[in-house]
Amino acid sequence: IMDPLLYLGGIVVLFLLWIKVKGLDYVIVHQRWIFVCLFLLPLSVIFDVYYYLRAWLIFKMCSAPKQHHQRVRDIQRQVREWRKEGGKTQMCTGRPGWLTVSLRVGKYKKTNKNIMINMMDILEVDTQRQVVRVEPLVNMGQITALLNSLGWTLPVLPELDDLTVGGLVMGTGIESSSHVYGLFQHICVAFELVLADGSLVRCTEENSDLFHAVPWSCGTLGFLVAAEIKIVPARCWVRLQYEPIRGLENICRRFTEASKDKNNTFVEGLQYSLDEAVIMTGTMTDTAEPNKINRIGLHYKPWFFKHVESYLSNNQKAVEYIPLRHYYHRHTRSIFWELQDIIPFGNHPVFRWLFGWMVPPKISLLKLTQGETIRQLYEQHHVVQDMLVPMKHIQTAITRFHQDIHVYPLWLCPFLLPPGRGMVHPKGEEAELYVDIGAYGEPRVKHFQAKASCRQLEQFVREVHGFQMLYADVYMERSEFWEMFDGTLYHRLRKELGCHDAFPEVYDKICKAARH
């Protein structure tokens, strides 16, 4: 027994000496996988187990609704205290910036009055009204674990486990079912908010302008304390068809056709180069052909985007049956394809078998430990952007992405945008089909400059009446921002509800040009 322990001890000593010689900064920047594998993966597992057990216990004991009222009163008390003190600085949630899924680090947390909002419970599943009522820090992993076990699901269930309801309501959320149901905001039926005067309001589509102004407002109209979201019956499996396509024109035509077909419950495209893509269409079902079942969520299975890419080389259509929850979180294990830059051998069969059950590391922990050097490297040599453009401009948009940043794979996700009066709606009075083009990775274009390249893309998106997701780095000037987004209702409500002294304007909160 002693010999292996001595060997292990020797390796640890050599490893620590190597870190001492090279310096911790060097190791974290150039060999980040060592730090991630040794520390962040085990920590992430502990986080997950704790939150899963906590959510399960609270729901089983039905203590969440009682505690909810108490927590709301506590938020109201904090806001009223802020007013009594003279409201010298604006307010924001007290949740640390590193805990969010956004890669942006908001500096306003240090200067604004932090209101503590510790609300992470599912309050009620009402199968008669077909709604689930949740607190803002409930995440998608929690929701699928509970709803799927009860035979229900959300019509739009955004991909990553750690995305919270608050982030998806105040920002936005999308999934491969959005071509039928719209964005995450469009499946919400009610919001409960604590306003700048400390009052609690419940707003719905029928009775409130506030309901339409909350999405995309990034917490600048009030503090979300609960949301009611539509639910639909779930099935056991997703029947998923993979269709490899070559030629940009063919890709755009086929993707548009699939997105218009409401018989497809799910539509998604992964584009691997300018003229190569795999388009996936899926439907929910209770039966599966046994020889075509693929449980893609198991820890030893290949990362989903690599599995999809294999159909390009085979160059033939195929059908698989995937368990519903595995499908919903198909990109979670590899954080789409971001994890290959952090753990280059993460998709190797040996790593998957031995350590795949610990993957992915929490995005929040990656942010917390990245340090200033890595943050700047990421900012200058890494792109994470989602641009929402009308489907009729998809071919031009993909070409622009190729010219300006050259990042592959690209994520293609269609969605229906209904008319409305909030910050995001189509130009006309009718619903319009849009596509979310997601670029995550290292740009391959020569002489890439983060600000200049992203501003070029932003200008194109404004010209075609598209929108930029606000979790990402936004380089627009104020006038450009309000050219992209409709601020009419938002600005009126900020004035009516006394938000100017209480909360920063959304532009000041998220745009690089406004942040100090």
Side-chain angles (χ1 to χ4, degrees), residues 76 191-195 199-203 208 210 225 497:
Q76 291 178 289
F191 303 131
E192 293 169 42
L193 297 106
V194 171
L195 300 179
S199 62
L200 175 69
V201 297
R202 180 179 182 272
C203 53
S208 176
L210 186 56
V225 293
L497 299 173

Side-chain angles (χ1 to χ4, degrees), residues 20-38:
K20 190 170 170 48
V21 170
K22 288 288 189 181
L24 189 60
D25 270 0
Y26 175 89
V27 174
I28 288 178
V29 172
H30 297 283
Q31 306 292 339
R32 200 175 183 204
W33 63 268
I34 297 173
F35 183 72
V36 169
C37 293
L38 289 181

Side-chain angles (χ1 to χ4, degrees), residues 165-173 183-185 214-219 470-471:
V165 168
L168 295 166
V169 167
M170 290 293 185
T172 193
L183 298 169
F184 190 83
Q185 69 202 59
V214 162
W216 296 77
S217 68
C218 299
L470 301 182
Y471 76 88

Side-chain angles (χ1 to χ4, degrees), residues 269-495:
L270 293 187
Q271 184 142 355
Y272 292 91
S273 71
L274 187 60
D275 57 1
E276 289 182 314
V278 178
I279 292 170
M280 288 155 279
T281 51
T283 50
M284 280 199 272
T285 173
D286 281 324
T287 55
E289 298 172 48
N291 61 330
K292 292 183 180 176
I293 288 172
N294 186 3
R295 300 177 192 277
I296 57 170
L298 296 175
H299 72 273
Y300 54 82
K301 289 284 189 173
W303 288 347
F304 184 67
F305 79 97
K306 287 291 187 187
H307 171 64
V308 174
E309 193 175 13
S310 67
Y311 291 104
L312 266 179
S313 48
N314 298 339
N315 202 26
Q316 56 185 28
K317 286 185 185 179
V319 170
E320 286 185 330
Y321 291 83
I322 298 170
L324 180 63
R325 190 153 186 252
H326 289 215
Y327 176 78
Y328 278 144
H329 301 292
R330 63 199 177 282
H331 293 298
T332 294
R333 285 190 303 129
S334 55
I335 319 179
F336 280 83
W337 29 93
E338 290 279 55
L339 200 57
Q340 66 182 353
D341 292 335
I342 299 167
I343 308 175
F345 47 82
N347 195 44
H348 192 282
V350 175
F351 181 87
R352 293 200 312 262
W353 272 99
L354 294 177
F355 305 109
W357 58 277
M358 300 170 88
V359 164
K362 289 274 181 204
I363 293 174
S364 51
L365 292 178
L366 287 170
K367 276 174 72 177
L368 180 65
T369 58
Q370 70 182 3
E372 189 59 24
T373 314
I374 289 183
R375 195 189 65 75
Q376 286 181 3
L377 275 173
Y378 257 74
E379 200 169 288
Q380 293 307 317
H381 306 288
H382 200 87
V383 166
V384 178
Q385 290 285 354
D386 280 87
M387 298 293 190
L388 316 179
V389 298
M391 186 68 81
K392 61 192 176 196
H393 297 297
I394 182 173
Q395 191 166 335
T396 319
I398 290 171
T399 307
R400 284 300 297 265
F401 267 77
H402 180 81
Q403 289 167 354
D404 291 347
I405 54 175
H406 201 282
V407 170
Y408 290 102
L410 288 175
W411 190 54
L412 306 177
C413 184
F415 69 97
L416 190 67
L417 188 61
R421 46 208 169 98
M423 282 174 61
V424 169
H425 55 77
K427 207 163 191 174
E429 292 300 310
E430 294 190 2
E432 188 173 351
L433 199 59
Y434 273 63
V435 58
D436 173 5
I437 303 176
Y440 327 117
E442 192 177 330
R444 303 290 178 199
V445 70
K446 281 183 181 177
H447 314 303
F448 172 78
Q449 289 187 313
K451 183 177 180 179
S453 299
C454 287
R455 277 186 60 75
Q456 282 180 321
L457 269 182
E458 288 168 352
Q459 184 184 343
F460 165 74
V461 171
R462 286 197 306 276
E463 285 168 358
V464 297
H465 196 73
F467 308 95
Q468 180 176 15
M469 281 202 190
L470 301 182
Y471 76 88
D473 284 332
V474 179
Y475 292 90
M476 287 182 281
E477 298 294 330
R478 193 181 302 270
S479 59
E480 295 169 334
F481 182 85
W482 290 117
E483 182 189 329
M484 179 180 283
F485 296 99
D486 182 353
T488 313
L489 181 64
Y490 172 78
H491 289 305
R492 174 164 70 77
L493 284 177
R494 270 180 64 81
K495 194 174 180 181

